[in-house]
Amino acid sequence: MEERNRLARDLHDSVTQAVYGVTLYAEAATRLLGAGQTEVAAEHLKELRSTAQQALREMRSLIFELRPPVLEKEGLVAALQARLEAVEGRAGLATELKVDGESRVPKEMEEELYRVAQEALNNVLKHSEARTVKLHLHADVDRITLEIADDGVGFDPGATHEHGGLGCAAWGSGLLAWVARWWYRANLMREQPLE
């Protein structure tokens, strides 16, 4: 149920609004063409194309977010690599995944770590204007470190709460909430002791 609510919220926040924007640009362009204002109509059509491409990227991302089978079959490293290729790579970002130590982390932590990376990568795509994103996963006997860094513009974490942003608050509890409250920023790093 929680996953359905998150997906509905993400669809509303991204794809639904983008598709609504496409319809507005199409209507405006139609009226402008009818009035003979082709240059302004052409600008609206460019915006329409850009908005539609954004909606397509976000839809691909949402589809991939539904528990990727590769996470279950091959583990966190393969799932992160598949995500980078399927979403960020298609969006034109240069990506890098570096893994040190054990490549397979405990199964119960894989999904939590994947969700942290997923949310951070979604925000990189939506907000950072980054050209490059790098993930570094280091796992040893008693600790897992996941670092996500991009070369984007960054933001003030306090401003998202003031303006009603739900991204961090909607993460729920456990590791995700801990990251959201204390570590979330343009460059994200989380160390999790193994117990």
Side-chain angles (χ1 to χ4, degrees):
M1 186 62 156
E2 183 179 322
E3 184 68 11
R4 286 180 66 179
N5 289 337
R6 186 187 65 76
L7 182 59
R9 185 179 56 250
D10 288 349
L11 279 169
H12 175 268
D13 290 347
S14 61
V15 179
T16 303
Q17 291 185 14
V19 171
Y20 180 67
V22 164
T23 61
L24 292 177
Y25 281 122
E27 288 174 14
T30 300
R31 274 183 266 150
L32 289 166
L33 286 171
Q37 298 179 355
T38 57
E39 288 182 25
V40 180
E43 289 300 316
H44 282 4
L45 291 172
K46 286 179 186 175
E47 288 295 326
L48 184 147
R49 180 181 59 216
S50 174
T51 304
Q53 289 171 339
Q54 177 188 349
L56 181 59
R57 285 191 302 270
E58 290 176 1
M59 188 57 114
R60 282 184 184 135
S61 174
L62 289 172
I63 290 168
F64 196 85
E65 284 180 21
L66 299 171
R67 180 106 175 120
V70 69
L71 181 61
E72 187 73 32
K73 293 177 186 170
E74 300 177 45
L76 180 62
V77 173
L80 291 172
Q81 187 63 54
R83 160 64 196 238
L84 289 172
E85 291 169 6
V87 181
E88 285 70 25
R90 283 186 177 179
L93 272 71
T95 64
E96 180 183 319
L97 174 61
K98 181 179 177 185
V99 179
D100 299 322
E102 295 292 319
S103 63
R104 190 75 193 238
V105 300
K107 196 168 193 72
E108 61 274 6
M109 296 187 83
E110 285 186 331
E111 187 163 352
E112 290 270 352
L113 288 167
Y114 182 80
R115 296 293 178 206
V116 168
Q118 185 178 52
E119 184 67 23
L121 291 169
N122 287 344
N123 285 327
V124 167
L125 285 172
K126 290 178 185 176
H127 308 295
S128 79
E129 301 173 22
R131 294 179 314 276
T132 304
V133 63
K134 297 178 181 183
L135 279 68
H136 181 198
L137 179 68
H138 177 80
D140 58 31
V141 179
D142 64 346
R143 184 171 306 275
I144 297 171
T145 305
L146 173 62
E147 182 177 3
I148 301 162
D150 66 66
D151 62 354
V153 296
F155 71 99
D156 175 7
T160 59
H161 181 68
E162 293 168 12
H163 294 93
L166 291 176
C168 293
W171 283 2
S173 60
L175 174 63
L176 294 176
W178 195 92
V179 171
R181 284 194 305 268
W182 300 106
W183 286 96
Y184 192 76
R185 58 183 187 256
N187 294 311
L188 174 71
M189 183 172 144
R190 173 67 174 122
E191 291 188 7
Q192 177 67 31
L194 295 174
E195 297 173 2

